[in-house]
Amino acid sequence: MWSIGGSIGDPWGFVLRNCTSFVAWRLHERNHLTGFSNSFRGRHWGNAANWDDVARSLGYRVDSVPAIGAVAQTDSGRVGHVAWVSAIGPGTVTVEEYNHALPGGYGTRTVPVSDFRYLHLDDVAPSPYVGSDRPLVAVPDGLGESWTARVDDAGTLRVARPGREARVVGRPGGFSRLAAPALAVDAHRRPWLAATTADGRVLAGTLRGTRFVLRPVAGAAATSSPAVALSRTGRPVVAATSADGTLTTRRLTRAGRWSRPERVGRPGSWSTHAAPVLGHDVAGRTWLVAVTVGGTTWARGLERGRLVRLPGATASATSTPALSLAQDGTAYLHQVGADGRLLVRTLHAGRWGRPEALPGRWSVYGSPAVRVVGGQLVVAATDAGGAVQVRSAVPGRRTHFTARVRSTGDPTASPAVVTRARSGVFVVVGEGPRTGRARLLTRPAAALVRDSSPTRAGFTS
């Protein structure tokens, strides 16, 4: 405690030249968290060792993932310590602080991320190392198999056609490790691929003979995956978010050329960490869904052209939604809220309803994967502890395809669901630089009994 003739308080109820006073000032000055004080929201924050407990009790997220403007906190020392996160590197965090290395004075240091826990009171920006990546993406080919694509830890894009080994596409090491590729299969079972490069471009294209031919179609944030889907006319549409937060779409014309970029919404308003998604309703209309930097969700039917704000709670700006179609023709939108709830909306008569929450506490960094499995719609998502859970994707409905993949301890991991005709349906989770931890959800009946029936004739759990 620093004092001259007794304690000298600051305007926020802390003591001058202490770590708590400095962080309170930074939260006002940089985060614009007006009203923060030692009695913020009716609680006494007190010594730094108390801050994580108070933040949790008020519903703020406290975890191991740093963000620019987050409060770095530790219980170490007599009264703990807090600092303000100013920069993030690969496995490191740079903090500004008072009363650490220099008694009663200002300092900065760069330390391992694991040295602190992080209080997300009102972050300035997400970590630049949190993106919309997955261990792989998969899309059914209509014959009980899946095309798959992934970017490995070295930035190399690999695509596997059903029943074949993965092959390198494009320049090895040339793609962003923080953004997943996107796949769609047209009516002729021809795959369309879009992927974000390490230098911030979206390349898109399809097979020409035995190799993919990709062309630049948009600029992109290195942390944002593109989206690709087939329109009602059967031609591909690509959506991408640029590094400055501008969302655009492009379509392949009848002449085989990409149209001019069409801007969606206000420039600079879209999240660069939650990717846009494209999907279809039962009538075949193409829908675009995207999240703003502030967590507002918007949807637009590309054939109708009107951008609509979806009702409900604030969404996580670091989790990509999932847009899916159940076998009964109902379109669903699954996304993680800023408060860690897994929210589900349904589309009725061209309008998205208010969200319902599935049970559990979910990671605001992981993106859900939704797939029809054995006639039931299931969702695979990362919980707050870093484990992948598989549940019924429809609120109030149960499924026997429940599973849990052992926690990797990484709340930023996102799962994928992959179909293999001869071996079944798997949920796949990335583990560090590897892609390979998988859980079998269901397998073909023909894999269990010796008969001549097709492998896609039936499923058993």
Side-chain angles (χ1 to χ4, degrees):
M1 180 178 294
W2 298 89
S3 62
I4 301 175
S7 300
I8 298 180
D10 65 14
W12 311 288
F14 299 103
V15 178
L16 285 173
R17 301 178 71 181
N18 274 259
C19 63
T20 50
S21 177
F22 171 77
V23 171
W25 173 70
R26 268 286 186 252
L27 290 173
H28 279 262
E29 189 245 356
R30 294 286 180 86
N31 302 60
H32 305 294
L33 187 59
T34 57
F36 183 79
S37 70
N38 202 1
S39 58
F40 182 57
R41 294 186 58 186
R43 295 295 303 276
H44 178 69
W45 289 67
N47 291 329
N50 302 332
W51 279 37
D52 60 325
D53 300 319
V54 175
R56 285 192 192 95
S57 70
L58 292 172
Y60 289 104
R61 183 162 35 93
V62 178
D63 58 26
S64 60
V65 181
I68 305 300
V71 176
Q73 188 270 347
T74 177
D75 291 342
S76 299
R78 186 173 62 86
V79 293
H81 185 67
V82 289
W84 189 84
V85 177
S86 60
I88 301 169
T92 66
V93 62
T94 299
V95 298
E96 299 180 36
E97 59 196 349
Y98 248 63
N99 200 23
H100 183 261
L102 179 63
Y106 171 83
T108 65
R109 56 185 169 128
T110 299
V111 298
V113 167
S114 58
D115 279 12
F116 292 103
R117 61 178 65 91
Y118 302 94
L119 284 55
H120 302 276
L121 305 184
D122 192 2
D123 297 341
V124 173
S127 166
Y129 294 91
V130 172
S132 50
D133 60 319
R134 293 182 185 273
L136 56 85
V137 295
V139 59
D141 68 347
L143 296 175
E145 274 282 2
S146 296
W147 281 85
T148 60
R150 69 183 181 98
V151 176
D152 66 21
D153 199 50
T156 298
L157 174 62
R158 302 176 188 273
V159 179
R161 65 192 311 159
R164 304 286 183 86
E165 293 292 327
R167 298 179 60 181
V168 173
V169 175
R171 182 170 60 85
F175 292 85
S176 171
R177 297 179 292 110
L178 303 174
L183 276 170
V185 175
D186 64 20
H188 303 289
R189 302 193 186 95
R190 181 174 54 173
W192 289 86
L193 173 68
T196 301
T197 65
D199 59 358
R201 295 174 297 149
V202 172
L203 306 183
T206 189
L207 283 173
R208 294 286 185 263
T210 60
R211 60 187 292 266
F212 278 92
V213 177
L214 305 181
R215 305 293 186 207
V217 297
T223 54
S224 179
S225 303
V228 62
L230 281 303
S231 69
R232 182 179 281 178
T233 61
R235 291 189 291 273
V237 180
V238 173
T241 304
S242 68
D244 67 353
T246 299
L247 175 61
T248 58
T249 63
R250 294 187 75 173
R251 308 163 188 254
L252 192 70
T253 67
R254 291 181 179 178
R257 299 185 180 91
W258 291 98
S259 66
R260 295 180 62 86
E262 181 181 356
R263 194 181 70 209
V264 179
R266 185 163 53 87
S269 63
W270 301 98
S271 170
T272 56
H273 292 70
V277 293
L278 291 166
H280 302 95
D281 61 19
V282 70
R285 291 184 294 260
T286 308
W287 285 88
L288 169 68
V289 178
V291 179
T292 68
V293 68
T296 304
T297 306
W298 295 79
R300 173 184 170 188
L302 294 187
E303 288 85 8
R304 301 177 66 178
R306 183 168 172 261
L307 193 64
V308 177
R309 178 175 178 171
L310 301 190
T314 301
S316 167
T318 51
S319 174
T320 299
L323 185 56
S324 56
L325 192 64
Q327 284 194 333
D328 64 2
T330 304
Y332 289 92
L333 178 67
H334 291 73
Q335 64 184 144
V336 180
D339 58 0
R341 293 184 300 160
L342 184 51
L343 305 173
V344 186
R345 292 182 175 89
T346 56
L347 183 67
H348 295 289
R351 294 187 177 183
W352 292 95
R354 296 191 67 84
E356 297 181 71
L358 294 177
R361 301 296 297 176
W362 305 91
S363 169
V364 297
Y365 308 103
S367 304
V370 181
R371 179 69 64 84
V372 175
V373 179
Q376 302 179 41
L377 197 68
V378 300
V379 57
T382 306
D383 66 21
V388 171
Q389 307 277 355
V390 180
R391 296 288 183 268
S392 170
V394 182
R397 191 174 300 175
R398 303 186 67 179
T399 176
H400 59 279
F401 294 115
T402 56
R404 183 180 188 273
V405 180
R406 186 167 60 86
S407 174
T408 63
D410 181 6
T412 68
S414 299
V417 180
V418 183
T419 301
R420 293 296 187 213
R422 293 183 179 86
S423 53
V425 181
F426 297 83
V427 56
V428 182
V429 184
E431 186 178 13
R434 301 194 302 274
T435 301
R437 178 173 290 187
R439 175 74 181 267
L440 177 66
L441 295 182
T442 181
R443 66 180 65 190
L448 301 180
V449 295
R450 295 182 178 179
D451 60 24
S452 59
S453 61
T455 58
R456 56 184 178 276
F459 287 89
T460 181
S461 62

